[in-house]
Amino acid sequence: MVGGGFAGLWAVRALKSAPVRITLVDRGNHHLFQPLLYQVATAGLSAPDIAAPLRQILRRQKNVVVRMATVSTIDADAKTLELDCDGGNETLAFDYLLLATGATHAYFGNERWAAHAPGLKTLDDALDLRRKLLLAFERAESETDPDARDAWLSFGIIGGGPTGVELAGTLAEIARHTLQGEFRNIDPSRARVRLIEAGPRVLASFPEDLSEKARKQLERLGVEVSTGTPVKDITADGYRLGETFVPAKTIVWAAGVSASPLGECLGVPLDKAGRVPVEPDLTVPGHPDIFVAGDLATLKQANGKPVPGVAPAAKQMGKHVAKAIRARLKGVGIAPFRYRDFGNLATIGRMAAVVDLGAWKFSGIVAWWFWLLAHLFFLIGFRNRSVVLLNWSVAYWTHQRAARIILGGDDTRC
Amino acid sequence: MVGGGFAGLWAVRALKSAPVRITLVDRGNHHLFQPLLYQVATAGLSAPDIAAPLRQILRRQKNVVVRMATVSTIDADAKTLELDCDGGNETLAFDYLLLATGATHAYFGNERWAAHAPGLKTLDDALDLRRKLLLAFERAESETDPDARDAWLSFGIIGGGPTGVELAGTLAEIARHTLQGEFRNIDPSRARVRLIEAGPRVLASFPEDLSEKARKQLERLGVEVSTGTPVKDITADGYRLGETFVPAKTIVWAAGVSASPLGECLGVPLDKAGRVPVEPDLTVPGHPDIFVAGDLATLKQANGKPVPGVAPAAKQMGKHVAKAIRARLKGVGIAPFRYRDFGNLATIGRMAAVVDLGAWKFSGIVAWWFWLLAHLFFLIGFRNRSVVLLNWSVAYWTHQRAARIILGGDDTRC
């Protein structure tokens, strides 16, 4: 099993009492609850609140060895893979392989934008972004030139999907409420938070009426929402929206992901986002013992739409792979993978969210409470849940954010 | 006011309603509760749990401007100082100056040891150390050579003061309890944690019988305590203790501090640890408008002993400076600074601590509870206290540690 995210970890757990020896390889030491990553980036939670060590989660499951390592190559025919280790490489042989290394941000060929508009996929990304957001206000405070000051108070969030919407809504709340009264030279509530979506509406995976509600809720929180115009360029000083250059010192990329590069090792054709098109049983075409699951896989459902790149889909895929391996060991077959869609939710900011459960659609405060309870419920581990709940309660009542600490040493100046 | 630690922050707060304009300069954005820093280094707390943004603490105090900046030079005669800013330098003029920038680790002329034996003074230090400690067990797990594996499981803590004792005790607990059952190739409880003190006893600032109790409690937790033999060399592979080379991949420096280099800017003679010898009113000799407080200052008490470099002394000095400034504005004099010693406490590990209140001395479980309550009481801010209490409760009952997350990107391998 390569990757300790939702797909990999759920597959491992579903093989709990199976007669197999599992090696779980991950480049980090922790499982990350990615849906709350934006809360770390916006200083609401600290990194350990949304992550748990894989070893700790799996310590009672005796058929698992956890290895913190990167996979450098896979030989699909010889059924081996190579771990990149400090003291030299190491080869692992496998009977079955699950590749579930997820996705990373993609700049669609504009890789130089990466330096000015970082994305948000790992805890390190989130901490870098937190630092960048908090420092922008510090820089604005000590800047004497009014234009430069405005540029420090101008934030561009590129991409109107759930991550972009969450970041924009929370950032507007920070500027308007959290930082209120703390600065002497600037008024943080004058900060300009702009959410930029190239397509016609935000939250495109939701029904149209919920997209419209999300836009209204964002605007109420103080976010400028721009749709229908793509970003043409990004520099250290701002972004070009159509023909207009908007000065902005802080730009965040939430616009696109591509699959982890590990898919390339398999030697099969990939889709244009680098994902592995899998068979209905989640195996790689021509390699019936290699499974791919989660954001690294792409599979069309019966209705013609692809399985979405969301946490519940990854968990379901992981469990399906475990079931398939159990069945193979017994020499029986199982039905192909079918995604069960329990609904779609996105939070926007303080007391604002949208929920689409198919038959039921709602937005606003009720949706926000629903989102909050659902996320608390799915967060792994007792301790994380209670700390997160506590931080959220305090944040809710005081508008404060628990993790407003700038880390990162020597260049923390002014 | 330069420095937002205990001395600087307490001085600022004690000037709350005074007719002054205060600029508080700190290179970070937060006040740090340094006595719990070792808890961040040992993954018990996350960084934001023990830090609070200075702006947030002071936002209601309207006579304060907070500046996140480094001070590059001080002109004591012209009464100006220079801030090192991103967009060029900036000069601040002052009527009164308080320098309270604390201390950093010192290697007594063996600066090349710094690379192999990092110290613990800032949050960044603590996160680096956490990463190093957690990675050592990961490396041991994937190491096949038995000698190399033992070196990854060998930890040297150099310095038997409170920080060294706390780190050694907690690390032994992690190895023996927290990580139990999580590894497959190594037995973490076989890790060798050695506390090395060059002097005759650990916790030398405590009475001798408490030092002896601390040693016994450390040994019960599984720490090897070595006293009376200094470390002669430190390399990437271990340390030389007297004539014996001890292989150890993880070495921590808790042996010495020297004052912040900013003292040199004053142009007065410093003591050999770089501290500024101050007058009994905490001013710099020859510069009655410049105060120095906290770990950067050194002052002999009436009993001939120097004021100790502990948080309560720094707070008292900060408050004294505020009082002195208020008195000067009114044209009256005040009594010289006198340190009030309320006692001395140090924690050792799970349910082990020593407390010296002068008349009362105790150790063991009662001392540990006393230490715990005292530290919770002094921790700034409601939120931090409750999160810390919650993390500690969970840690106490489960032996788990909340922040066992390895951060830091690309070199997280094996």
Side-chain angles (χ1 to χ4, degrees):
Chain A
M1 308 281 171
V2 183
F6 288 112
L9 185 56
W10 261 252
V12 169
R13 301 215 292 188
L15 285 168
K16 185 157 187 164
S17 46
V20 290
R21 281 178 303 129
I22 304 168
T23 303
L24 173 62
V25 180
D26 195 287
R27 65 181 170 174
N29 79 327
H30 52 274
H31 171 73
L32 174 66
F33 192 79
Q34 233 167 16
L36 287 179
L37 200 53
Y38 82 97
Q39 282 277 354
V40 174
T42 54
L45 295 172
S46 60
D49 290 347
I50 62 158
L54 288 167
R55 291 189 187 288
Q56 184 189 330
I57 299 172
L58 295 169
R59 67 176 158 169
R60 294 215 175 82
Q61 190 172 335
K62 294 299 174 198
N63 63 357
V64 185
V65 176
V66 176
R67 290 295 302 273
M68 184 174 161
T70 27
V71 171
S72 51
T73 56
I74 297 168
D75 187 331
D77 296 315
K79 299 188 27 175
T80 59
L81 54 82
E82 200 132 306
L83 295 188
D84 200 348
C85 294
D86 211 41
N89 289 5
E90 194 184 325
T91 305
L92 283 185
F94 58 82
D95 295 317
Y96 299 102
L97 173 68
L98 167 59
L99 261 194
T101 46
T104 179
H105 7 275
Y107 293 87
F108 312 123
N110 295 298
E111 305 309 324
R112 68 192 170 77
W113 295 0
H116 313 302
L120 184 60
K121 273 286 163 190
T122 67
L123 275 178
D124 284 311
D125 291 344
L127 292 175
D128 288 347
L129 193 51
R130 179 177 87 189
R131 178 179 156 72
K132 209 172 152 79
L133 296 176
L134 296 175
L135 272 177
F137 291 98
E138 295 292 334
R139 296 262 157 89
E141 172 81 352
S142 65
E143 181 59 63
T144 46
D145 175 61
D147 288 341
R149 191 188 292 157
D150 287 347
W152 280 116
L153 289 176
S154 169
F155 299 84
I157 318 271
I158 302 175
T163 301
V165 167
E166 285 159 353
L167 282 172
T170 313
L171 190 52
E173 194 202 324
I174 290 175
R176 292 206 164 183
H177 296 286
T178 310
L179 301 180
Q180 206 178 19
E182 295 195 7
F183 291 83
R184 302 294 180 253
N185 300 325
I186 59 164
D187 175 2
S189 69
R190 285 190 47 243
R192 199 173 166 187
V193 180
R194 193 169 209 161
L195 178 67
I196 300 133
E197 167 57 46
R201 59 193 178 98
V202 299
L203 297 181
S205 64
F206 283 75
E208 256 183 68
D209 52 334
L210 286 182
S211 285
E212 191 46 38
K213 288 205 168 120
R215 170 200 270 270
K216 287 210 178 108
Q217 292 181 66
L218 281 166
E219 285 169 351
R220 205 173 310 137
L221 289 165
V223 176
E224 294 174 45
V225 180
S226 155
T227 48
T229 311
V231 166
K232 289 284 178 57
D233 195 20
I234 300 175
T235 72
D237 298 311
Y239 52 90
R240 196 152 57 80
L241 192 59
E243 294 312 306
T244 322
F245 184 80
V246 182
K249 283 294 199 181
T250 314
I251 304 170
V252 185
W253 187 258
V257 294
S258 77
S260 142
L262 219 52
E264 292 166 20
C265 299
L266 294 174
V268 296
L270 306 177
D271 79 351
K272 65 182 196 300
R275 285 174 299 211
V276 182
V278 290
E279 303 284 353
D281 63 353
L282 304 181
T283 60
V284 177
H287 296 287
D289 298 331
I290 302 183
F291 297 85
V292 180
D295 285 356
L296 182 58
T298 178
L299 176 67
K300 268 210 176 104
Q301 302 179 68
N303 64 8
K305 285 190 192 165
V307 175
V310 295
K315 289 183 190 173
Q316 290 175 28
M317 284 177 156
K319 283 191 213 163
H320 183 88
V321 170
K323 216 169 129 190
I325 290 173
R326 279 174 188 276
R328 294 261 198 106
L329 294 174
K330 288 185 191 148
V332 298
I334 60 164
F337 174 72
R338 211 180 120 249
Y339 171 55
R340 294 186 60 194
D341 187 355
F342 293 104
N344 206 353
L345 37 165
T347 182
I348 293 162
R350 192 177 171 75
M351 293 192 285
V354 289
V355 172
D356 171 22
L357 300 180
W360 289 10
K361 288 175 200 165
F362 44 104
S363 64
I365 298 183
V366 179
W368 186 75
W369 279 105
F370 185 89
W371 174 89
L372 194 142
L373 292 175
H375 279 73
L376 271 183
F377 180 77
F378 287 115
L379 197 59
I380 276 193
F382 157 74
R383 178 258 168 194
N384 286 351
R385 265 181 229 177
S386 48
V387 171
V388 168
L389 186 62
L390 184 67
N391 279 342
W392 281 355
S393 312
V394 175
Y396 182 84
W397 294 112
T398 64
H399 279 289
Q400 279 307 331
R401 314 217 27 106
R404 268 177 53 207
I405 302 304
I406 297 176
L407 296 170
D410 290 341
D411 51 337
T412 51
R413 295 192 160 174
C414 294
Chain B
M1 309 282 171
V2 182
F6 288 112
L9 185 56
W10 262 250
V12 169
R13 301 215 290 188
L15 286 168
K16 185 156 188 165
S17 45
V20 290
R21 280 178 304 130
I22 304 168
T23 303
L24 174 62
V25 180
D26 195 287
R27 63 180 172 174
N29 79 327
H30 53 272
H31 171 71
L32 174 65
F33 191 80
Q34 233 165 17
L36 287 180
L37 199 54
Y38 83 97
Q39 282 277 355
V40 174
T42 54
L45 296 172
S46 59
D49 290 346
I50 62 160
L54 288 167
R55 292 191 187 285
Q56 184 188 332
I57 299 171
L58 296 168
R59 67 175 160 169
R60 295 218 172 77
Q61 191 171 334
K62 295 299 174 197
N63 62 358
V64 184
V65 175
V66 176
R67 289 296 301 271
M68 183 174 162
T70 25
V71 171
S72 52
T73 57
I74 298 167
D75 187 331
D77 295 315
K79 295 180 47 168
T80 59
L81 55 81
E82 198 131 312
L83 295 188
D84 199 347
C85 295
D86 208 42
N89 289 3
E90 191 184 325
T91 305
L92 284 185
F94 57 82
D95 296 319
Y96 299 103
L97 173 68
L98 167 59
L99 261 194
T101 47
T104 179
H105 6 275
Y107 293 86
F108 312 124
N110 295 299
E111 304 310 323
R112 68 191 169 77
W113 295 0
H116 313 302
L120 185 61
K121 272 286 163 192
T122 67
L123 275 179
D124 284 310
D125 292 345
L127 292 176
D128 287 348
L129 193 51
R130 181 178 85 188
R131 178 179 155 71
K132 210 173 152 78
L133 297 175
L134 295 176
L135 271 177
F137 290 97
E138 296 290 335
R139 295 262 157 91
E141 172 81 353
S142 65
E143 182 58 64
T144 47
D145 175 62
D147 288 342
R149 191 189 293 158
D150 286 349
W152 280 116
L153 289 176
S154 169
F155 299 84
I157 317 272
I158 302 174
T163 301
V165 167
E166 285 159 353
L167 281 173
T170 313
L171 191 52
E173 195 203 325
I174 290 175
R176 292 209 164 183
H177 296 287
T178 310
L179 301 180
Q180 207 177 18
E182 295 196 6
F183 291 83
R184 302 294 179 251
N185 300 325
I186 58 165
D187 174 3
S189 70
R190 285 190 46 241
R192 199 171 166 187
V193 179
R194 193 169 207 159
L195 178 68
I196 300 132
E197 167 58 45
R201 58 191 177 99
V202 298
L203 298 180
S205 64
F206 283 76
E208 257 182 68
D209 52 335
L210 286 182
S211 285
E212 189 47 36
K213 287 206 168 120
R215 171 201 268 270
K216 287 211 177 107
Q217 292 181 69
L218 281 166
E219 285 169 349
R220 204 172 311 136
L221 288 165
V223 176
E224 295 173 45
V225 181
S226 154
T227 49
T229 311
V231 166
K232 289 283 177 59
D233 195 19
I234 300 175
T235 71
D237 298 310
Y239 52 90
R240 196 150 58 79
L241 192 58
E243 293 314 304
T244 319
F245 184 80
V246 183
K249 283 294 198 179
T250 315
I251 304 170
V252 185
W253 187 258
V257 294
S258 78
S260 142
L262 218 54
E264 292 165 19
C265 299
L266 294 173
V268 296
L270 307 177
D271 80 352
K272 66 181 194 306
R275 286 175 298 212
V276 182
V278 290
E279 304 283 353
D281 64 353
L282 304 182
T283 60
V284 177
H287 296 286
D289 297 331
I290 301 184
F291 297 85
V292 180
D295 285 354
L296 182 59
T298 178
L299 176 66
K300 269 213 176 98
Q301 301 178 68
N303 64 9
K305 286 189 190 164
V307 176
V310 294
K315 289 183 192 175
Q316 290 176 28
M317 285 176 154
K319 283 190 213 163
H320 182 89
V321 170
K323 214 168 133 190
I325 291 173
R326 280 175 187 274
R328 295 263 198 103
L329 294 174
K330 289 185 191 146
V332 300
I334 61 165
F337 174 72
R338 212 182 121 249
Y339 171 55
R340 294 186 61 197
D341 187 354
F342 293 104
N344 206 352
L345 39 164
T347 182
I348 294 162
R350 191 178 171 74
M351 294 193 284
V354 291
V355 173
D356 171 23
L357 301 179
W360 288 8
K361 288 175 202 162
F362 44 105
S363 63
I365 297 182
V366 179
W368 186 75
W369 280 104
F370 185 89
W371 174 89
L372 193 143
L373 293 175
H375 279 73
L376 271 183
F377 181 77
F378 286 115
L379 195 59
I380 275 191
F382 157 73
R383 178 260 169 194
N384 286 351
R385 264 181 229 177
S386 48
V387 171
V388 169
L389 186 61
L390 183 67
N391 279 343
W392 281 355
S393 311
V394 175
Y396 182 83
W397 293 113
T398 65
H399 278 289
Q400 278 309 330
R401 312 212 35 101
R404 268 176 53 208
I405 303 303
I406 299 177
L407 296 171
D410 289 340
D411 53 336
T412 51
R413 295 195 160 171
C414 295

